[in-house]
Amino acid sequence: MITSIKNEKVKAWKKLHKRKERINTNSFLVEGFHLLEEAWKSEWQIKEIIAQENVDLPAWAESFPVTWVTDHVFEHISQTKTPQGVAAIMEMKRFNNLDGDYILLIDAIQDPGNLGTIIRTADAAGFDGIILGDGTVDLYNDKVIRATQGSIFHIPLHQKNLQTSIITLKEIGFSVWATALDNAVKYNETEIDSKVALILGNEGAGVKTALIKEADKIVNIPIHGEAESLNVSIAAGILMYYVKG
């Protein structure tokens, strides 16, 4: 039982709140029973489980190293308002191959809630993978992880340059769709290709011009009311479900 926040292990866990340390250690922190169970069901590596005193752990947790801590210590490392008393140190996973027929490309989305929701929706819609481009919020940000509701562990996630990714995708037969306002056709009037790579852009600036120029099709979602625009995660859901038929 660790009782002090000055313990070296506790200091190391706390450092994982920062992106730099996550990259340095190839590790990240997840919290809560649901996320831990989703991680366990996946092929991601659980390095260590952290449990608050008097918390009942599920039986499967016994097959992993468990470190028990006091309430005070757990609250110190927690990033949630109402901690459930269980967390885990996870190893980041590298995906090499772009498999499947439906790939989502993320161009500099900044809001962690938006990115997490998009990952969750891509999982639900049956997309085969996601490529996170430069300037996108950190995948392992705690708010992103929570917003995915565990889908982070169910869909291949790549962190690559989008320009080179588009070239690769075209070479293997993908039709690249970009979302934009100008020179675009309504998404639901667009013929669905057998292999689609869909680009979603930054909340304020949209998809970069250089990427739009590489697209085979430029689509938009019509606005019928007075709203200036749609939230990018809502737009993502509409487009992904359309593409999947």
Side-chain angles (χ1 to χ4, degrees), residues 160-219:
K160 298 182 177 183
N161 178 274
L162 294 189
Q163 204 90 39
T164 45
S165 296
I166 288 170
I167 293 168
T168 302
L169 288 164
K170 284 185 169 187
E171 286 173 351
I172 57 176
F174 276 83
S175 175
V176 178
W177 294 25
T179 51
L181 297 175
D182 298 328
N183 304 315
V185 296
K186 292 179 182 177
Y187 78 95
N188 55 351
E189 295 176 1
T190 307
E191 185 178 344
I192 301 169
D193 304 285
S194 58
K195 298 177 80 170
V196 177
L198 174 64
I199 314 172
L200 292 169
N202 174 271
E203 291 89 344
V207 177
K208 291 185 185 73
T209 305
L211 299 179
I212 293 173
K213 287 179 180 177
E214 297 294 330
D216 299 299
K217 295 180 181 179
I218 303 170
V219 300

Side-chain angles (χ1 to χ4, degrees), residues 17-137:
H17 292 189
K18 303 291 185 185
R19 181 177 188 171
K20 182 180 178 182
E21 190 64 18
R22 292 195 289 267
I23 292 168
N24 287 344
T25 60
N26 199 44
S27 306
F28 64 102
L29 197 63
V30 297
E31 270 191 73
F33 285 99
H34 174 68
L35 281 174
L36 250 70
E37 186 167 352
E38 294 304 303
W40 170 61
K41 289 176 182 175
S42 76
E43 295 180 1
W44 290 56
Q45 183 64 44
I46 298 174
K47 290 183 172 183
E48 180 179 17
I49 293 174
I50 305 160
Q52 187 174 324
E53 56 186 327
N54 302 320
V55 164
D56 292 324
L57 290 178
W60 60 260
E62 294 173 7
S63 57
F64 297 95
V66 178
T67 301
W68 293 89
V69 301
T70 59
D71 299 353
H72 174 59
V73 170
F74 197 89
E75 286 168 11
H76 179 69
I77 64 161
S78 174
Q79 293 175 278
T80 60
K81 290 180 181 176
T82 52
Q84 295 180 9
V86 64
I89 308 301
M90 302 289 305
E91 184 176 302
M92 293 178 185
K93 189 171 182 179
R94 300 280 184 265
F95 294 92
N96 297 317
N97 299 324
L98 282 170
D99 297 319
D101 298 330
Y102 302 96
I103 304 292
L104 191 65
L105 282 69
I106 304 294
D107 179 25
I109 285 175
Q110 297 285 294
D111 183 87
N114 281 340
L115 180 59
T117 301
I118 288 168
I119 292 169
R120 181 181 180 183
T121 308
D123 179 21
F127 261 57
D128 300 303
I130 301 174
I131 301 174
L132 307 173
D134 303 331
T136 298
V137 62

